[in-house]
Amino acid sequence: MLLRARARSTGLRAKGFTWDQIADVLALDHGVSPLRLYRLAHGRTAAEVVSLVNDLDPAGTASLREARLYDFEAWPDGGRRPPARCLVALARIYQTHAARLVADETRMSYDVRDRELLDATDLRHLDENRSPAPCPDGGRRVSIEASAGAPHAESTVDASACMELLRVIGIEEADVRRRELLFELALAFGGTQALRLLRVLGPEEEQRLGRVVRSASRVDAQTVATFEKLTAYARELDDGHGPAAVLPAVNGQRNALAQILVRGSMPQALRGRLLAAYGQLSQLTGYLSYDLLDVAAAQRALNEGLRAALDLGDPTLIGYLHCWLGSMAAYQQRAALALDHAFAARGWVVRSPSRLLRALNESVLSDAYAAAGDATASARAHDNALRLAGDPKGEGDPAFLYWISPSMLDSKAAMSLVRLRQSVAAAQRTLIGLDPRFKLDRGFALGQYATALTLTREIPEAAARLSEAADIAAQHTSARLADQITQARAGLQPWSGSTYVSRLDKTLQARGLLRT
């Protein structure tokens, strides 16, 4: 079987077939598990695969054996279910999406954390026969200038999306009543992608939320707590999955919350909490749209959140939204607008008990001064931001500021410092101390470091760091990161004929990041 599959795979690869396509072809002739199909597609023996898995562990602690691999390949008809971490290693070897290595029914047998890991591990960009990733605007990478006036299209759930939603829920949930409830909630919250968000809820929370969504019951404190829980979890999902995967669910939740807010009367305290949740969701929607470089949609969502925060009279939330409007303006090099929002935020920040918000305000002010070309004022504000972020966390700091730390603010400031032709150390420092879960920010830091290295003509190292950033961009949907990588590559144009930059261009082209 292996020899026949290897011969067929070789012929199909020569015709441009991807590993996924070859596995699908082999499935027509061989009734074996997806895990075995991918080994056959690559024409590898079990011993070869085991050796490659063990080599992937730099600490030398992996101990996969041939017999155990055969057990994993026999599941679910026999053997044992492969651990999620093993599937991640095999996905790298087979250059595919980890979730494709098991059947849908097997995937749903893992707990939520393992399913999230499998869903997030997509290594198909390593396949040389795979076409470059589609660009956000259909034919080219989005830039901040091109998207500034782009019209915003509201997402809809069409008939085909409904069928896919029914299929996914049918695999995940056997109970008919809960299946119907999840379908109703997912439709209200943006479609199939909302299922990832709803997984955090318990059965009672789902039932209560369903009654409120269909206007069958009044809003109570437990319902408000459920919306607050979903809002906090949405931020965690963005850290791991990127804006394209999370935005539909966040916007769907925001729209559902807006309908509840205008529906009728409720106690003022509950209305205030719901309005705060709506303001936070608007900020998150704006940030996700900004990360996709849909500037028009980002500004609209942030301004809607600002209006909600002003109605609420919450100085912390008002200051936070002004900070994000200012940060986006600084990224666009609109210095006057960035300074305007930074100083507007300061007027509210002084009324807020949050020390972390004061740190963020100083960081945005630093970015705004850098956009205006004032290096001295930018450095002074950045030093203030680091000092405030390094102080012990206080009771007045809201949960949505969880990401603020000296390392994160250093990362935000690095690009401004590079633009001002500061030293490489400013960019290099941003890579130290970043929380590993913030992989997008590491991608930004690598791009900034590459730009700084280019300015000092350290071309081999700059190309290597930019290649590492491209690996992150290929697994994340941030158009902003892709745009930064494109700009950093443009700085290497004088050395485009060198071996290092030529190798980088092949990597960028394989990941759909090279403009032609």
Side-chain angles (χ1 to χ4, degrees):
M1 183 189 296
L2 176 62
L3 292 175
R4 289 196 303 271
R6 182 183 294 160
R8 191 169 192 187
S9 178
T10 300
L12 293 173
R13 288 294 287 179
K15 295 179 182 297
F17 278 55
T18 66
W19 295 120
D20 288 344
Q21 291 170 334
I22 294 172
D24 289 340
V25 170
L26 294 179
L28 299 175
D29 299 325
H30 305 291
V32 297
S33 69
L35 198 57
R36 181 163 294 178
L37 283 173
Y38 273 89
R39 181 165 64 82
L40 294 176
H42 282 260
R44 297 189 184 277
T45 65
E48 289 172 333
V49 172
V50 166
S51 177
L52 290 170
V53 170
N54 292 337
D55 288 345
L56 285 176
D57 181 15
T61 59
S63 58
L64 183 64
R65 304 187 306 276
E66 287 183 55
R68 185 53 49 82
L69 178 61
Y70 284 129
D71 280 344
F72 294 159
E73 290 181 345
W75 186 263
D77 297 328
R80 64 176 66 192
R81 189 182 70 173
R85 290 287 177 185
C86 183
L87 291 174
V88 168
L90 291 167
R92 179 166 292 278
I93 294 168
Y94 297 145
Q95 299 177 6
T96 187
H97 192 175
R100 284 185 60 94
L101 295 177
V102 291
D104 285 341
E105 293 78 4
T106 300
R107 174 186 164 276
M108 295 313 305
S109 68
Y110 291 92
D111 62 29
V112 173
R113 188 176 297 275
D114 282 345
R115 287 204 305 271
E116 296 283 1
L117 176 63
L118 296 179
D119 292 344
T121 305
D122 189 350
L123 299 167
R124 288 174 291 187
H125 62 275
L126 299 175
D127 188 344
E128 294 180 354
N129 283 5
R130 180 173 169 82
S131 299
C135 298
D137 63 349
R140 57 185 173 79
R141 280 282 169 185
V142 176
S143 67
I144 196 74
E145 297 85 1
S147 68
H152 174 68
E154 295 294 339
S155 61
T156 58
V157 183
D158 58 19
S160 61
C162 284
M163 294 302 296
E164 174 63 14
L165 178 58
L166 282 171
R167 187 190 71 82
V168 173
I169 293 176
I171 295 171
E172 181 171 342
E173 181 55 50
D175 182 81
V176 176
R177 289 187 177 180
R178 185 165 185 267
R179 189 185 303 170
E180 292 175 352
L181 177 59
L182 284 174
F183 181 72
E184 179 184 13
L185 289 174
L187 279 181
F189 281 28
T192 304
Q193 290 161 309
L195 289 176
R196 183 180 286 122
L197 183 66
L198 294 171
R199 285 177 190 149
V200 74
L201 301 181
E204 291 185 6
E205 292 173 315
E206 292 173 349
Q207 292 285 349
R208 186 181 301 110
L209 195 59
R211 289 193 297 270
V212 171
V213 167
R214 70 176 75 98
S215 304
S217 68
R218 296 173 64 87
V219 174
D220 56 16
Q222 289 83 0
T223 305
V224 176
T226 298
F227 272 107
E228 291 170 340
K229 180 178 180 178
L230 287 172
T231 303
Y233 187 55
R235 295 184 185 280
E236 296 181 23
L237 288 177
D238 174 50
D239 293 333
H241 297 277
V246 181
L247 180 57
V250 171
N251 213 20
Q253 183 187 350
R254 187 171 76 110
N255 291 337
L257 192 53
Q259 293 175 13
I260 292 172
L261 280 167
V262 301
R263 183 183 300 159
S265 61
M266 65 184 74
Q268 191 62 32
L270 296 184
R271 181 176 180 81
R273 288 172 60 185
L274 282 181
L275 202 56
Y278 178 81
Q280 290 184 41
L281 284 170
S282 296
Q283 179 276 319
L284 184 54
T285 298
Y287 167 74
L288 295 172
S289 300
Y290 164 48
D291 206 20
L292 291 170
L293 289 183
D294 188 348
V295 175
Q299 288 178 332
R300 182 164 52 251
L302 290 170
N303 283 323
E304 287 171 0
L306 184 58
R307 285 194 292 271
L310 287 167
D311 287 344
L312 184 63
D314 181 354
T316 301
L317 190 54
I318 295 170
Y320 190 52
L321 285 153
H322 270 301
C323 281
W324 275 109
L325 285 162
S327 181
M328 189 165 64
Y331 186 85
Q332 296 175 272
Q333 291 294 288
R334 300 173 68 183
L337 181 60
L339 286 167
D340 185 54
H341 281 296
F343 283 116
R346 173 173 285 184
W348 292 98
V349 165
V350 295
R351 299 173 57 184
S352 167
S354 173
R355 172 191 50 80
L356 291 179
L357 183 60
R358 292 197 293 277
L360 177 61
N361 186 207
E362 290 290 336
S363 178
V364 173
L365 194 58
S366 174
D367 290 345
Y369 279 131
D374 191 338
T376 302
S378 177
R380 183 169 59 248
H382 181 55
D383 288 342
N384 290 338
L386 294 183
R387 175 179 54 78
L388 289 165
D391 290 341
K393 187 176 180 180
E395 294 182 358
D397 293 318
F400 58 76
L401 296 179
Y402 70 98
W403 57 275
I404 295 180
S405 68
S407 295
M408 288 294 288
L409 296 186
D410 246 351
S411 177
K412 279 175 56 63
M415 197 66 241
S416 298
L417 294 172
V418 169
R419 287 194 184 109
L420 292 172
R421 304 267 172 170
Q422 301 276 339
S423 67
V424 172
Q428 187 179 34
R429 189 174 64 237
T430 67
L431 290 171
I432 302 173
L434 274 178
D435 192 320
R437 62 178 165 156
F438 300 128
K439 61 183 180 182
L440 174 62
D441 294 282
R442 178 171 177 80
F444 283 130
L446 287 165
Q448 294 154 4
Y449 190 22
T451 299
L453 289 166
T454 301
L455 293 175
T456 58
R457 297 177 180 269
E458 297 181 48
I459 306 307
E461 185 67 12
R465 299 289 74 78
L466 205 55
S467 181
E468 189 178 345
D471 286 339
I472 295 175
Q475 300 177 53
H476 203 280
T477 54
S478 171
R480 195 159 47 103
L481 176 58
D483 187 59
Q484 186 188 83
I485 291 172
T486 300
Q487 293 181 36
R489 168 58 185 88
L492 290 168
Q493 191 59 31
W495 299 274
S496 58
S498 69
T499 302
Y500 307 103
V501 179
S502 296
R503 189 182 302 126
L504 169 65
D505 285 347
K506 291 181 180 178
T507 299
L508 295 178
Q509 187 172 14
R511 284 137 181 79
L513 297 168
L514 186 62
R515 282 181 180 167
T516 57

Short mmCIF file of all heavy atoms in Angstrom, two decimals, residues 318-356:
data_model
loop_
_atom_site.label_atom_id
_atom_site.label_comp_id
_atom_site.label_asym_id
_atom_site.label_seq_id
_atom_site.Cartn_x
_atom_site.Cartn_y
_atom_site.Cartn_z
N ILE A 318 -14.12 55.90 28.50
CA ILE A 318 -13.99 57.03 27.57
C ILE A 318 -12.52 57.24 27.21
O ILE A 318 -12.16 57.38 26.04
CB ILE A 318 -14.59 58.30 28.18
CG1 ILE A 318 -16.10 58.15 28.40
CG2 ILE A 318 -14.31 59.51 27.28
CD1 ILE A 318 -16.72 59.28 29.21
N GLY A 319 -11.67 57.27 28.23
CA GLY A 319 -10.23 57.46 27.98
C GLY A 319 -9.65 56.33 27.14
O GLY A 319 -8.81 56.56 26.25
N TYR A 320 -10.10 55.10 27.39
CA TYR A 320 -9.58 53.94 26.65
C TYR A 320 -9.93 54.04 25.16
O TYR A 320 -9.09 53.79 24.30
CB TYR A 320 -10.18 52.67 27.25
CG TYR A 320 -9.56 51.38 26.75
CD1 TYR A 320 -8.19 51.18 26.78
CD2 TYR A 320 -10.37 50.34 26.28
CE1 TYR A 320 -7.63 49.99 26.34
CE2 TYR A 320 -9.81 49.15 25.85
CZ TYR A 320 -8.44 48.98 25.88
OH TYR A 320 -7.88 47.79 25.45
N LEU A 321 -11.15 54.44 24.85
CA LEU A 321 -11.56 54.56 23.45
C LEU A 321 -10.83 55.71 22.76
O LEU A 321 -10.43 55.58 21.59
CB LEU A 321 -13.08 54.74 23.38
CG LEU A 321 -13.85 53.44 23.63
CD1 LEU A 321 -15.23 53.72 24.19
CD2 LEU A 321 -13.96 52.64 22.33
N HIS A 322 -10.63 56.82 23.45
CA HIS A 322 -9.83 57.90 22.87
C HIS A 322 -8.40 57.43 22.60
O HIS A 322 -7.79 57.80 21.58
CB HIS A 322 -9.81 59.12 23.80
CG HIS A 322 -10.93 60.09 23.57
ND1 HIS A 322 -11.12 60.72 22.36
CD2 HIS A 322 -11.92 60.55 24.40
CE1 HIS A 322 -12.17 61.54 22.44
NE2 HIS A 322 -12.67 61.44 23.67
N CYS A 323 -7.86 56.61 23.49
CA CYS A 323 -6.50 56.10 23.30
C CYS A 323 -6.40 55.27 22.01
O CYS A 323 -5.43 55.40 21.26
CB CYS A 323 -6.07 55.26 24.50
SG CYS A 323 -5.54 56.22 25.94
N TRP A 324 -7.40 54.43 21.75
CA TRP A 324 -7.35 53.61 20.54
C TRP A 324 -7.55 54.44 19.28
O TRP A 324 -6.93 54.17 18.24
CB TRP A 324 -8.36 52.47 20.63
CG TRP A 324 -7.77 51.30 21.35
CD1 TRP A 324 -8.08 50.84 22.59
CD2 TRP A 324 -6.70 50.48 20.88
NE1 TRP A 324 -7.28 49.77 22.92
CE2 TRP A 324 -6.43 49.54 21.89
CE3 TRP A 324 -5.95 50.44 19.72
CZ2 TRP A 324 -5.43 48.57 21.77
CZ3 TRP A 324 -4.96 49.48 19.59
CH2 TRP A 324 -4.70 48.56 20.61
N LEU A 325 -8.40 55.44 19.36
CA LEU A 325 -8.55 56.34 18.20
C LEU A 325 -7.24 57.08 17.93
O LEU A 325 -6.84 57.26 16.78
CB LEU A 325 -9.69 57.33 18.45
CG LEU A 325 -11.10 56.75 18.32
CD1 LEU A 325 -12.13 57.66 19.00
CD2 LEU A 325 -11.46 56.53 16.85
N GLY A 326 -6.56 57.47 19.01
CA GLY A 326 -5.27 58.14 18.85
C GLY A 326 -4.20 57.20 18.34
O GLY A 326 -3.36 57.58 17.50
N SER A 327 -4.18 55.96 18.82
CA SER A 327 -3.20 54.99 18.37
C SER A 327 -3.35 54.70 16.88
O SER A 327 -2.36 54.60 16.14
CB SER A 327 -3.35 53.69 19.18
OG SER A 327 -2.39 52.73 18.79
N MET A 328 -4.58 54.57 16.42
CA MET A 328 -4.83 54.31 15.00
C MET A 328 -4.40 55.50 14.15
O MET A 328 -3.81 55.33 13.07
CB MET A 328 -6.31 54.01 14.78
CG MET A 328 -6.64 53.51 13.39
SD MET A 328 -8.29 52.76 13.28
CE MET A 328 -9.33 54.18 13.65
N ALA A 329 -4.66 56.71 14.64
CA ALA A 329 -4.24 57.90 13.90
C ALA A 329 -2.71 58.00 13.82
O ALA A 329 -2.15 58.36 12.78
CB ALA A 329 -4.81 59.15 14.56
N ALA A 330 -2.02 57.62 14.90
CA ALA A 330 -0.55 57.65 14.90
C ALA A 330 0.00 56.64 13.91
O ALA A 330 1.00 56.91 13.22
CB ALA A 330 -0.02 57.38 16.31
N TYR A 331 -0.63 55.47 13.82
CA TYR A 331 -0.20 54.46 12.87
C TYR A 331 -0.32 54.96 11.44
O TYR A 331 0.51 54.65 10.58
CB TYR A 331 -1.04 53.19 13.05
CG TYR A 331 -0.58 52.02 12.22
CD1 TYR A 331 0.43 51.16 12.68
CD2 TYR A 331 -1.14 51.75 10.98
CE1 TYR A 331 0.86 50.09 11.92
CE2 TYR A 331 -0.71 50.68 10.21
CZ TYR A 331 0.28 49.85 10.68
OH TYR A 331 0.70 48.79 9.93
N GLN A 332 -1.35 55.79 11.19
CA GLN A 332 -1.55 56.38 9.86
C GLN A 332 -0.68 57.62 9.65
O GLN A 332 -0.76 58.24 8.59
CB GLN A 332 -3.01 56.76 9.67
CG GLN A 332 -3.97 55.60 9.68
CD GLN A 332 -5.41 56.08 9.61
OE1 GLN A 332 -6.04 56.34 10.62
NE2 GLN A 332 -5.92 56.21 8.39
N GLN A 333 0.15 57.97 10.66
CA GLN A 333 0.99 59.17 10.60
C GLN A 333 0.17 60.45 10.51
O GLN A 333 0.61 61.44 9.93
CB GLN A 333 1.97 59.08 9.42
CG GLN A 333 3.04 58.02 9.58
CD GLN A 333 4.00 58.34 10.73
OE1 GLN A 333 4.83 59.25 10.65
NE2 GLN A 333 3.87 57.61 11.83
N ARG A 334 -1.02 60.43 11.12
CA ARG A 334 -1.85 61.63 11.20
C ARG A 334 -1.59 62.25 12.57
O ARG A 334 -2.35 62.08 13.52
CB ARG A 334 -3.32 61.26 11.00
CG ARG A 334 -3.59 60.61 9.66
CD ARG A 334 -5.01 60.10 9.55
NE ARG A 334 -6.00 61.19 9.52
CZ ARG A 334 -7.31 61.00 9.49
NH1 ARG A 334 -7.80 59.76 9.51
NH2 ARG A 334 -8.13 62.03 9.47
N ALA A 335 -0.48 62.98 12.66
CA ALA A 335 0.03 63.42 13.95
C ALA A 335 -0.95 64.33 14.69
O ALA A 335 -1.16 64.17 15.90
CB ALA A 335 1.37 64.14 13.74
N ALA A 336 -1.55 65.29 14.00
CA ALA A 336 -2.44 66.23 14.67
C ALA A 336 -3.65 65.52 15.28
O ALA A 336 -4.04 65.79 16.43
CB ALA A 336 -2.91 67.31 13.69
N LEU A 337 -4.25 64.59 14.52
CA LEU A 337 -5.39 63.85 15.04
C LEU A 337 -4.99 62.94 16.19
O LEU A 337 -5.73 62.82 17.18
CB LEU A 337 -6.02 63.01 13.91
CG LEU A 337 -7.26 62.19 14.27
CD1 LEU A 337 -8.38 63.11 14.76
CD2 LEU A 337 -7.73 61.37 13.08
N ALA A 338 -3.81 62.34 16.09
CA ALA A 338 -3.33 61.48 17.17
C ALA A 338 -3.13 62.28 18.46
O ALA A 338 -3.51 61.83 19.55
CB ALA A 338 -2.02 60.80 16.76
N LEU A 339 -2.53 63.45 18.35
CA LEU A 339 -2.33 64.30 19.53
C LEU A 339 -3.67 64.76 20.10
O LEU A 339 -3.84 64.83 21.33
CB LEU A 339 -1.47 65.51 19.16
CG LEU A 339 0.02 65.24 18.96
CD1 LEU A 339 0.70 66.43 18.30
CD2 LEU A 339 0.69 64.91 20.30
N ASP A 340 -4.63 65.06 19.22
CA ASP A 340 -5.94 65.51 19.67
C ASP A 340 -6.60 64.43 20.53
O ASP A 340 -7.13 64.73 21.62
CB ASP A 340 -6.81 65.83 18.45
CG ASP A 340 -8.16 66.42 18.86
OD1 ASP A 340 -8.17 67.41 19.60
OD2 ASP A 340 -9.19 65.88 18.45
N HIS A 341 -6.59 63.18 20.08
CA HIS A 341 -7.19 62.10 20.86
C HIS A 341 -6.39 61.81 22.13
O HIS A 341 -6.98 61.49 23.18
CB HIS A 341 -7.30 60.84 20.00
CG HIS A 341 -8.46 60.85 19.06
ND1 HIS A 341 -9.77 60.88 19.49
CD2 HIS A 341 -8.50 60.83 17.69
CE1 HIS A 341 -10.58 60.87 18.44
NE2 HIS A 341 -9.83 60.85 17.35
N ALA A 342 -5.07 61.89 22.04
CA ALA A 342 -4.25 61.62 23.23
C ALA A 342 -4.52 62.63 24.34
O ALA A 342 -4.64 62.26 25.52
CB ALA A 342 -2.77 61.63 22.85
N PHE A 343 -4.66 63.91 23.97
CA PHE A 343 -4.94 64.92 24.98
C PHE A 343 -6.40 64.87 25.45
O PHE A 343 -6.69 65.17 26.62
CB PHE A 343 -4.59 66.32 24.45
CG PHE A 343 -3.12 66.61 24.46
CD1 PHE A 343 -2.43 66.83 23.28
CD2 PHE A 343 -2.41 66.63 25.65
CE1 PHE A 343 -1.07 67.07 23.27
CE2 PHE A 343 -1.05 66.89 25.67
CZ PHE A 343 -0.36 67.10 24.47
N ALA A 344 -7.31 64.48 24.54
CA ALA A 344 -8.69 64.27 24.98
C ALA A 344 -8.77 63.14 25.99
O ALA A 344 -9.50 63.22 26.99
CB ALA A 344 -9.58 63.97 23.77
N ALA A 345 -8.00 62.07 25.73
CA ALA A 345 -7.95 60.95 26.67
C ALA A 345 -7.40 61.40 28.02
O ALA A 345 -7.92 61.01 29.07
CB ALA A 345 -7.09 59.82 26.10
N ARG A 346 -6.38 62.24 28.00
CA ARG A 346 -5.76 62.67 29.26
C ARG A 346 -6.77 63.37 30.15
O ARG A 346 -6.76 63.22 31.37
CB ARG A 346 -4.58 63.59 28.97
CG ARG A 346 -3.98 64.20 30.21
CD ARG A 346 -2.71 64.98 29.91
NE ARG A 346 -1.59 64.07 29.67
CZ ARG A 346 -0.34 64.48 29.46
NH1 ARG A 346 -0.06 65.78 29.45
NH2 ARG A 346 0.63 63.62 29.27
N GLY A 347 -7.68 64.15 29.55
CA GLY A 347 -8.68 64.84 30.34
C GLY A 347 -9.59 63.89 31.11
O GLY A 347 -10.10 64.23 32.19
N TRP A 348 -9.82 62.69 30.56
CA TRP A 348 -10.63 61.69 31.24
C TRP A 348 -9.79 60.78 32.12
O TRP A 348 -10.27 60.30 33.15
CB TRP A 348 -11.41 60.87 30.21
CG TRP A 348 -12.46 61.66 29.51
CD1 TRP A 348 -12.36 62.25 28.28
CD2 TRP A 348 -13.74 62.00 30.03
NE1 TRP A 348 -13.52 62.92 27.99
CE2 TRP A 348 -14.39 62.78 29.04
CE3 TRP A 348 -14.41 61.71 31.21
CZ2 TRP A 348 -15.68 63.28 29.22
CZ3 TRP A 348 -15.71 62.21 31.38
CH2 TRP A 348 -16.32 62.98 30.40
N VAL A 349 -8.56 60.53 31.72
CA VAL A 349 -7.69 59.63 32.48
C VAL A 349 -7.43 60.15 33.89
O VAL A 349 -7.35 59.38 34.84
CB VAL A 349 -6.36 59.42 31.71
CG1 VAL A 349 -5.30 58.79 32.60
CG2 VAL A 349 -6.60 58.56 30.47
N VAL A 350 -7.32 61.47 34.02
CA VAL A 350 -7.06 62.03 35.35
C VAL A 350 -8.24 61.79 36.29
O VAL A 350 -8.08 61.86 37.52
CB VAL A 350 -6.75 63.55 35.26
CG1 VAL A 350 -5.46 63.77 34.50
CG2 VAL A 350 -7.90 64.31 34.62
N ARG A 351 -9.41 61.51 35.74
CA ARG A 351 -10.59 61.23 36.57
C ARG A 351 -10.78 59.73 36.81
O ARG A 351 -11.71 59.33 37.51
CB ARG A 351 -11.84 61.80 35.88
CG ARG A 351 -11.79 63.30 35.68
CD ARG A 351 -12.96 63.79 34.84
NE ARG A 351 -14.25 63.42 35.41
CZ ARG A 351 -15.42 63.67 34.82
NH1 ARG A 351 -15.45 64.27 33.64
NH2 ARG A 351 -16.55 63.29 35.39
N SER A 352 -9.93 58.92 36.20
CA SER A 352 -10.04 57.47 36.33
C SER A 352 -9.08 56.96 37.40
O SER A 352 -7.96 57.48 37.55
CB SER A 352 -9.72 56.79 34.99
OG SER A 352 -9.53 55.41 35.15
N PRO A 353 -9.48 55.92 38.15
CA PRO A 353 -8.58 55.36 39.16
C PRO A 353 -7.54 54.40 38.57
O PRO A 353 -6.70 53.88 39.30
CB PRO A 353 -9.54 54.59 40.09
CG PRO A 353 -10.67 54.16 39.19
CD PRO A 353 -10.83 55.28 38.20
N SER A 354 -7.56 54.17 37.26
CA SER A 354 -6.70 53.15 36.66
C SER A 354 -5.31 53.68 36.36
O SER A 354 -5.13 54.62 35.58
CB SER A 354 -7.34 52.64 35.37
OG SER A 354 -6.45 51.78 34.69
N ARG A 355 -4.31 53.05 36.97
CA ARG A 355 -2.92 53.39 36.68
C ARG A 355 -2.50 52.88 35.30
O ARG A 355 -1.75 53.53 34.57
CB ARG A 355 -2.01 52.79 37.76
CG ARG A 355 -0.53 52.89 37.47
CD ARG A 355 0.27 52.05 38.45
NE ARG A 355 -0.24 50.70 38.53
CZ ARG A 355 0.02 49.74 37.63
NH1 ARG A 355 0.77 50.02 36.58
NH2 ARG A 355 -0.47 48.52 37.77
N LEU A 356 -3.00 51.69 34.91
CA LEU A 356 -2.64 51.13 33.61
C LEU A 356 -3.17 52.00 32.47
O LEU A 356 -2.53 52.10 31.42
CB LEU A 356 -3.18 49.70 33.48
CG LEU A 356 -2.52 48.64 34.36
CD1 LEU A 356 -3.17 47.28 34.15
CD2 LEU A 356 -1.02 48.55 34.08
#
